[in-house]
Amino acid sequence: MAGEECAGQDSEALTEDLARRMLADMNDTIRAGEEMRKLRAEMIRLFVDLGWTQDTIARLAGMSQPAVSKQVTKHRPADPPPPRLSLDQHDAPWLEGRLWGLAEEISERFHDTASCTRHVNAIARGRKRFTSQSVDELRRLVEGDLRRHQAKMPAGYRQAYNEISRGLDVPPKVITTIAASASVRRALAYQIQRDRLRGED
């Protein structure tokens, strides 16, 4: 009888622990999904501002043209103009996006030994937000990976990190109005940084 009680208690504790982890994972996925949908809508409006046709956007996004059109109709005429796509920009979201892109490239290149892999995976799952604390943590991880894999690391990785690090340490003297949201600017900088690094290999 005592053994049955013990087994029941163990089973109940395990079930609750497993349920907690499952629900936490689901919440992260749902949150990330909602954020990605919002980001995709902003990116669609950006592409329209850049002159892309709705048919082209629909094809690239894997969406129907009516679905893209619905997103475009929400685009207010008073919305600000699209952002510059130059990599050399110095606002915090842009620099954070560049850091994220650099970390992703390091993670893919040195997946088994890169310290930043878990962090970038957490960003992708929606478990990590871009706060000053999480950005500092990612900087430390990236810097450690750059030292650890220096012999096999393309020179462009260190150069990109130095530019990003200087920008984050010294805020720009001139504060300008940023056209797009922080999440859009991070996503743009992330992708542009990755493309730049791949082009230098």
Side-chain angles (χ1 to χ4, degrees), residues 8-74:
Q9 290 173 355
D10 288 344
S11 175
E12 182 179 354
L14 176 62
T15 301
E16 288 183 4
D17 185 53
L18 181 59
R20 177 185 57 77
R21 293 200 308 270
M22 289 174 63
L23 289 171
D25 286 344
M26 289 177 187
N27 288 339
D28 287 338
T29 303
I30 291 168
R31 190 182 308 116
E34 291 173 350
E35 291 175 358
M36 282 297 117
R37 281 192 291 273
K38 181 179 178 183
L39 177 58
R40 185 180 66 175
E42 291 188 64
M43 294 299 290
I44 287 171
R45 295 195 289 271
L46 170 66
F47 296 148
V48 168
D49 285 338
L50 292 172
W52 293 26
T53 67
Q54 293 184 23
D55 286 337
T56 298
I57 296 169
R59 177 172 51 81
L60 295 175
M63 299 169 64
S64 67
Q65 194 277 332
V68 172
S69 181
K70 183 178 179 181
Q71 294 293 342
V72 173
T73 58
K74 298 178 182 178

Side-chain angles (χ1 to χ4, degrees), residues 1 10 32 40 54 67 74 76 79-80 84-86 105 110 121 130 133 161 166 175 181 186 188:
M1 184 71 71
D10 288 344
R40 185 180 66 175
Q54 293 184 23
K74 298 178 182 178
R76 300 184 302 277
D79 282 348
R84 301 190 291 124
L85 299 183
S86 166
E105 286 297 308
F110 303 100
N121 288 343
F130 283 93
Q133 182 178 357
Y161 177 77
R166 281 195 300 269
I175 305 298
S181 72
R186 281 193 201 99
L188 285 170

Side-chain angles (χ1 to χ4, degrees), residues 71-161:
Q71 294 293 342
V72 173
T73 58
K74 298 178 182 178
H75 186 36
R76 300 184 302 277
D79 282 348
R84 301 190 291 124
L85 299 183
S86 166
L87 197 58
D88 184 26
Q89 299 184 61
H90 304 285
D91 58 288
W94 191 265
L95 293 165
E96 291 164 0
R98 288 189 63 186
L99 179 66
W100 176 21
L102 172 60
E104 191 80 56
E105 286 297 308
I106 292 173
S107 175
E108 288 190 5
R109 184 178 285 263
F110 303 100
H111 186 269
D112 293 335
T113 54
S115 300
C116 64
T117 296
R118 181 176 292 183
H119 195 110
V120 294
N121 288 343
I123 292 173
R125 292 289 302 276
R127 292 183 174 183
K128 286 281 187 183
R129 301 287 183 272
F130 283 93
T131 64
S132 57
Q133 182 178 357
S134 68
V135 171
D136 285 344
E137 178 186 355
L138 185 55
R139 287 175 68 181
R140 288 193 298 272
L141 293 171
V142 167
E143 190 164 3
D145 285 331
L146 288 170
R147 284 196 307 268
R148 189 174 304 108
H149 301 288
Q150 183 175 0
K152 298 180 181 179
M153 193 79 71
Y157 285 49
R158 169 56 72 176
Q159 180 181 349
Y161 177 77

